Amino acid sequence: MTIAIVGAGLGGLTLARVLHVNGIDAVVYEREPSRDARGQGGMLDIHSGQRALREAGLIDQFHAIARGEGQDMRLLEPDGTLLLQEDTPDDAPLERPEVDRADLRGLLLDSLPEDAVRWGHAFTSAGDGLLHFADGSTATYGLLVGADGAQSRVRALLTDARPAHIGQNAVELGIPDIDRTHPDLAAMVGRGNYWVLGDGMSLAAQRNGDGRVRIGLSFYNTAEDFFSASGIPFGDPPAARARLIDLLSGWDARFTALIAACDDTVVPRPITALPVGLTWPSTPGVTLLGDAAHLMPPVGEGANMALLDGAVLGLALAAHPDDFPTAVAAYEREMFERTSAAARMSARIQDMLMSPDAARKMLAFFRPG
């Protein structure tokens, strides 16, 4: 009755860890050839997900790598007007600390037995208790958990739903070692999150634990083919930066200076999401967690929900170790309700970001009344 987890992301690894803590073995199959095969992205705001890390017995280790100062936030309008500045005292509780995704993933990986993750196993299909991988190998399973992200292959076993474009297209850029290379811009961005919200566009700059500032330029109410019509030459990073600066015409020069200072990482990212409130009939032998189950707009809930999914499913399986269908049904009931609420809130925030006067609406969201 092997538990097979497809995908070594945060949710899948949390599930494996909670099962391990409760004396239950699981195998994680990951398509990447090694843990360091690619970058893992930027910082994560971990709030509700801390409950999952407590269940995994890792909360103290998490606090050791979390950045409390990452809770700082500055919100501005394109003309440079500062609407909100929140600076976190050094002794403030770690309610919403930032953590580097790679560091959190490394913490989870290091908490598992050495042979728990099978690298280089790209899942292709499953049926009759047998997993099939791209290299022709197979493995048996009693329960298959799809933790394989937005483009999940496991999802097709449960639902025809697919992620759809939500009218947002983002460009990822970054400034390495900003304190040394651009101390003036480092001081402007501060220690945490820096948001500039305009009509139809936003700039988000986020301090990372390695000294890099990751910058996301988002274009709202745009079609899925926006990049092909935008004139942004992604194959020529200097020209791409110049074109992005052109698109920010009328914005304060301090914001375009952030773009000019970026290195040659210029990556287009169309933004997609699954339908809010997606469910499926509980099916013996297979379930989903994380983005495979409930991909949301990127406004701070996805990673937390994935961590909680892993913990809740792990605890359900520990409570019913000889009855996978009962455990899965209990997990899915809780997950559907919890993540539907998170998806509705994420959609509400997304609507505010896509609306005219987005900065003032977000200010009212952060400072109601």
Side-chain angles (χ1 to χ4, degrees):
M1 297 292 285
T2 302
I3 299 173
I5 304 166
V6 174
L10 300 181
L13 293 174
T14 300
L15 170 58
R17 168 63 184 181
V18 171
L19 290 173
H20 176 66
V21 167
N22 284 277
I24 300 173
D25 293 331
V27 179
V28 181
Y29 296 98
E30 170 55 50
R31 66 183 302 120
E32 294 173 6
S34 70
R35 65 187 289 170
D36 300 317
R38 67 175 180 87
Q40 294 298 311
M43 304 296 287
L44 299 170
D45 162 11
I46 301 300
H47 44 279
S48 59
Q50 291 188 50
R51 178 164 67 89
L53 295 168
R54 289 190 182 90
E55 296 291 353
L58 297 173
I59 193 65
D60 290 340
Q61 295 94 317
F62 167 73
H63 286 158
I65 62 174
R67 297 178 59 250
E69 65 273 20
Q71 299 173 106
D72 289 6
M73 184 172 64
R74 298 176 186 183
L75 175 65
L76 303 96
E77 293 182 300
D79 65 1
T81 300
L82 178 65
L83 297 179
L84 176 66
Q85 179 168 337
E86 293 185 341
D87 296 325
T88 308
D90 291 340
D91 60 351
L94 294 176
E95 294 178 350
R96 303 182 69 99
E98 299 278 342
V99 66
D100 190 296
R101 182 186 289 269
D103 290 345
L104 181 54
R105 185 181 189 235
L107 172 62
L108 289 163
L109 283 168
D110 291 342
S111 74
L112 295 172
E114 191 171 333
D115 61 349
V117 180
R118 310 286 168 84
W119 302 100
H121 282 70
F123 171 83
T124 57
S125 64
D128 297 325
L130 199 63
L131 302 176
H132 297 268
F133 300 100
D135 62 1
S137 63
T138 61
T140 59
Y141 70 94
L143 174 63
L144 169 60
V145 181
D148 48 341
Q151 302 305 320
S152 171
R153 289 178 176 268
V154 179
R155 187 192 298 125
L157 299 175
L158 292 171
T159 174
D160 292 333
R162 297 289 183 273
H165 192 259
I166 62 171
Q168 177 184 353
N169 291 280
V171 180
E172 179 188 319
L173 308 101
I175 305 173
D177 197 9
I178 192 172
D179 288 312
R180 182 182 63 82
T181 59
H182 298 281
D184 54 333
L185 296 178
M188 181 180 78
V189 170
R191 306 182 304 173
N193 291 281
Y194 188 86
W195 272 16
V196 187
L197 301 181
D199 184 1
M201 290 188 291
S202 71
L203 182 154
Q206 183 185 54
R207 179 72 69 119
N208 283 206
D210 61 359
R212 182 179 182 86
V213 164
R214 291 173 70 93
I215 295 172
L217 272 180
S218 287
F219 302 89
Y220 300 105
N221 301 304
T222 51
E224 194 167 2
D225 63 354
F226 168 77
F227 288 126
S228 62
S230 66
I232 304 170
F234 290 100
D236 182 350
R241 291 194 297 271
R243 174 59 180 154
L244 290 169
I245 289 171
D246 287 343
L247 292 172
L248 294 178
S249 175
W251 284 42
D252 189 282
R254 292 172 296 170
F255 308 143
T256 55
L258 280 171
I259 307 303
C262 289
D263 62 13
D264 286 347
T265 299
V266 187
V267 182
R269 298 200 184 281
I271 306 301
T272 61
L274 285 166
V276 173
L278 175 65
T279 64
W280 54 84
S282 194
T283 303
V286 60
T287 192
L288 304 172
L289 60 74
D291 285 349
H294 43 70
L295 179 66
M296 304 175 193
V299 294
E301 290 299 322
N304 288 277
M305 292 300 105
L307 291 167
L308 284 168
D309 289 351
V312 171
L313 179 54
L315 292 172
L317 289 166
H320 304 279
D322 300 316
D323 189 351
F324 289 171
T326 295
V328 166
Y331 154 70
E332 290 176 342
R333 283 193 299 272
E334 190 277 348
M335 183 267 289
F336 290 151
E337 181 177 356
R338 168 174 46 82
T339 62
S340 292
R344 288 192 297 271
M345 185 182 72
S346 296
R348 177 186 167 208
I349 294 173
Q350 184 73 11
D351 287 344
M352 286 190 283
L353 293 172
M354 298 179 76
S355 67
D357 202 19
R360 300 283 172 171
K361 289 182 178 179
M362 288 303 297
L363 176 62
F365 177 79
F366 288 123
R367 291 274 182 86

